[in-house]
Amino acid sequence: MMTSSDIFNDAVRSAMKLKDLSQDELYARLGYSRRTLVDHFSAEKQCEIEFLLDAPATDLWNITNGEDKLALEQARCSFEHRFRSDEYISWAQRFPVRELQSLGFIRKSDGMSFTQKFRSGLLPREIMKFLGVASVDGWKKRYAIVQNSVNPYTYSAWIRLGELQVKTPSKEIFLYRGIIANNLKFLRRNSEPLRQSLRNTVVETLEKCDIRVLQVPAFISAPAPRSAVFWKGQQPIIQLSTAPMSDSSFLEAVYHAVGHILQEHTKRPCLMLPAAAKCATNPQSSDDNRYCAEASRIAESLLMTETEECEIICCGQFAKKECVDFFARKFQIRPGIIVSRLQQQNKIPAKSPLNAFKVAV
């Protein structure tokens, strides 16, 4: 029976380093726990690991015994057969395959129809290789962040495009949460220099706080989430769509994402859905709802305090342009944020002349 040190020998650790994978990430992408891997290690699990690491199992564990080699070949046949199963074909067909092919992340194969590429196992295998997982369970576990969304397949592919751009930092990251919060308070201000360069200023400011910000194009097949957060080692990554958003929507998405990062008790990934797709197919867990609610409270407080919101509403003239202008100057806040908050409170309609205050960024 293999021990953990036998499984994670020098060859395996070197291959994991080349793929920038920690042990925890490896377990997630395999789709099971450390205990399951160690207690039930087998030739089939060797095949899954060699698939993830792009390294032959014979080299990883120095397999020379004829009987062991035969067991490995049989396991490989079984592993490859899963890509032709109905479960894996049905799973793969939900991904934006043609867009991924046009971007060069999934190879094309001439001489086969699109259906044949699925039935042969080619496309399911290619999608799994692109996502860096070894099973459908591995996809679910690694991308649990998207499981409650209306487009889990497309959203996980979108997040993967971001993941491929980042590596674990060589130095340990220490987050100074008070400094991050102070920078967010600065970014909310309606200073004229930010009007035309809001995105760039936000990105530069957060990266100075050791928060990596990625801007990734959305797929044609579905609207991208407004923001996503995941971690690479100790560094938080915020991923945003390059699609234009109003300044208020952009800041709400960024502040909500940072709200999750400011929660010291959790490193859970989060996903903020686009406005058109807020209804999830499955209810979130109570913990997820609690963490999201806490992140929203942090974001709302930093964008506009409850006292400021009450003062605007109590003035009774909030539906007038002059009123929005006045409070924007008084609170040093972008007028688009005021309009968006009033709309969230159903004080003014979604379609309003005040929407002109929401500058596209």
Side-chain angles (χ1 to χ4, degrees), residues 58-126:
T58 48
D59 294 344
L60 292 175
W61 293 284
N62 192 27
I63 298 173
T64 56
N65 180 281
E67 191 173 318
D68 291 339
K69 283 187 173 181
L70 179 61
L72 182 61
E73 284 303 316
Q74 291 173 339
R76 280 175 179 157
C77 290
S78 175
F79 177 73
E80 292 295 330
H81 184 266
R82 71 172 60 172
F83 299 123
R84 300 190 294 275
S85 69
D86 290 342
E87 178 191 5
Y88 278 66
I89 291 170
S90 175
W91 171 80
Q93 285 174 334
R94 293 177 170 86
F95 284 89
V97 175
R98 287 189 171 89
E99 284 97 331
L100 289 169
Q101 286 179 328
S102 68
L103 292 169
F105 289 102
I106 292 180
R107 63 189 173 94
K108 299 176 182 178
S109 178
D110 297 328
M112 298 173 68
S113 69
F114 206 56
T115 302
Q116 287 173 329
K117 292 175 186 177
F118 281 107
R119 303 307 305 179
S120 67
L122 172 65
L123 286 180
R125 192 183 200 282
E126 285 289 298

Side-chain angles (χ1 to χ4, degrees), residues 23-86:
Q23 283 193 28
D24 286 342
E25 286 178 303
L26 185 74
Y27 300 141
R29 293 181 181 279
L30 289 170
Y32 36 74
S33 66
R34 175 189 178 281
R35 180 182 292 277
T36 300
L37 177 67
V38 175
D39 291 352
H40 304 284
F41 196 67
S42 63
E44 185 175 347
K45 288 181 171 56
Q46 288 177 325
C47 291
E48 293 173 341
I49 293 174
E50 76 172 355
F51 179 79
L52 282 182
L53 300 182
D54 278 329
T58 48
D59 294 344
L60 292 175
W61 293 284
N62 192 27
I63 298 173
T64 56
N65 180 281
E67 191 173 318
D68 291 339
K69 283 187 173 181
L70 179 61
L72 182 61
E73 284 303 316
Q74 291 173 339
R76 280 175 179 157
C77 290
S78 175
F79 177 73
E80 292 295 330
H81 184 266
R82 71 172 60 172
F83 299 123
R84 300 190 294 275
S85 69
D86 290 342

Side-chain angles (χ1 to χ4, degrees), residues 108-166:
K108 299 176 182 178
S109 178
D110 297 328
M112 298 173 68
S113 69
F114 206 56
T115 302
Q116 287 173 329
K117 292 175 186 177
F118 281 107
R119 303 307 305 179
S120 67
L122 172 65
L123 286 180
R125 192 183 200 282
E126 285 289 298
I127 292 168
M128 199 153 283
K129 180 65 75 173
F130 160 69
L131 288 167
V133 296
S135 65
V136 172
D137 284 341
W139 170 71
K140 289 177 179 177
K141 192 167 184 178
R142 180 62 187 89
Y143 297 100
I145 179 178
V146 302
Q147 295 307 307
N148 293 316
S149 72
V150 293
N151 286 298
Y153 306 90
T154 300
Y155 288 177
S156 62
W158 180 72
I159 291 172
R160 181 60 175 163
L161 292 182
E163 286 181 333
L164 291 171
Q165 297 180 41
V166 295

Side-chain angles (χ1 to χ4, degrees), residues 42-301:
S42 63
E44 185 175 347
K45 288 181 171 56
Q46 288 177 325
C47 291
E48 293 173 341
I49 293 174
E50 76 172 355
F51 179 79
L52 282 182
L53 300 182
D54 278 329
T58 48
D59 294 344
L60 292 175
W61 293 284
N62 192 27
I63 298 173
T64 56
N65 180 281
E67 191 173 318
D68 291 339
K69 283 187 173 181
L70 179 61
L72 182 61
E73 284 303 316
Q74 291 173 339
R76 280 175 179 157
C77 290
S78 175
F79 177 73
E80 292 295 330
H81 184 266
R82 71 172 60 172
F83 299 123
R84 300 190 294 275
S85 69
D86 290 342
E87 178 191 5
Y88 278 66
I89 291 170
S90 175
W91 171 80
Q93 285 174 334
R94 293 177 170 86
F95 284 89
V97 175
R98 287 189 171 89
E99 284 97 331
L100 289 169
Q101 286 179 328
S102 68
L103 292 169
F105 289 102
I106 292 180
R107 63 189 173 94
K108 299 176 182 178
S109 178
D110 297 328
M112 298 173 68
S113 69
F114 206 56
T115 302
Q116 287 173 329
K117 292 175 186 177
F118 281 107
R119 303 307 305 179
S120 67
L122 172 65
L123 286 180
R125 192 183 200 282
E126 285 289 298
I127 292 168
M128 199 153 283
K129 180 65 75 173
F130 160 69
L131 288 167
V133 296
S135 65
V136 172
D137 284 341
W139 170 71
K140 289 177 179 177
K141 192 167 184 178
R142 180 62 187 89
Y143 297 100
I145 179 178
V146 302
Q147 295 307 307
N148 293 316
S149 72
V150 293
N151 286 298
Y153 306 90
T154 300
Y155 288 177
S156 62
W158 180 72
I159 291 172
R160 181 60 175 163
L161 292 182
E163 286 181 333
L164 291 171
Q165 297 180 41
V166 295
K167 288 189 172 294
T168 303
S170 56
K171 64 182 180 68
E172 194 167 353
I173 299 291
F174 296 96
L175 293 180
Y176 296 95
R177 288 173 165 81
I179 294 175
I180 294 171
N182 286 334
N183 276 282
L184 291 183
K185 290 175 183 177
F186 161 76
L187 287 172
R188 83 164 202 168
R189 295 172 189 161
N190 188 35
S191 55
E192 195 61 31
L194 297 189
R195 187 169 290 278
Q196 299 301 325
S197 59
L198 179 63
R199 274 187 182 251
N200 291 339
T201 306
V202 167
V203 172
E204 290 170 5
T205 302
L206 293 181
E207 293 201 331
K208 287 176 182 176
C209 298
D210 282 325
I211 298 173
R212 180 75 184 273
V213 182
L214 303 173
Q215 298 190 70
V216 180
F219 291 111
I220 299 171
S221 55
R226 291 169 63 188
S227 68
V229 173
F230 53 92
W231 297 74
K232 200 67 177 172
Q234 296 295 316
Q235 185 175 45
I237 315 294
I238 294 179
Q239 185 165 319
L240 302 165
S241 170
T242 57
M245 287 185 267
S246 69
D247 58 354
S248 55
S249 293
F250 175 76
L251 286 173
E252 285 168 5
V254 170
Y255 278 50
H256 181 87
V258 179
H260 278 273
I261 295 168
L262 292 176
Q263 298 175 46
E264 296 194 45
H265 57 276
T266 179
K267 284 178 61 178
R268 283 174 177 252
C270 78
L271 184 75
M272 192 172 187
L273 299 178
K278 285 189 176 177
C279 294
T281 52
N282 298 304
Q284 288 185 303
S285 70
S286 58
D287 277 349
D288 287 340
N289 283 329
R290 178 161 53 86
Y291 293 135
C292 276
E294 185 176 338
S296 291
R297 283 194 296 272
I298 293 170
E300 289 171 2
S301 175

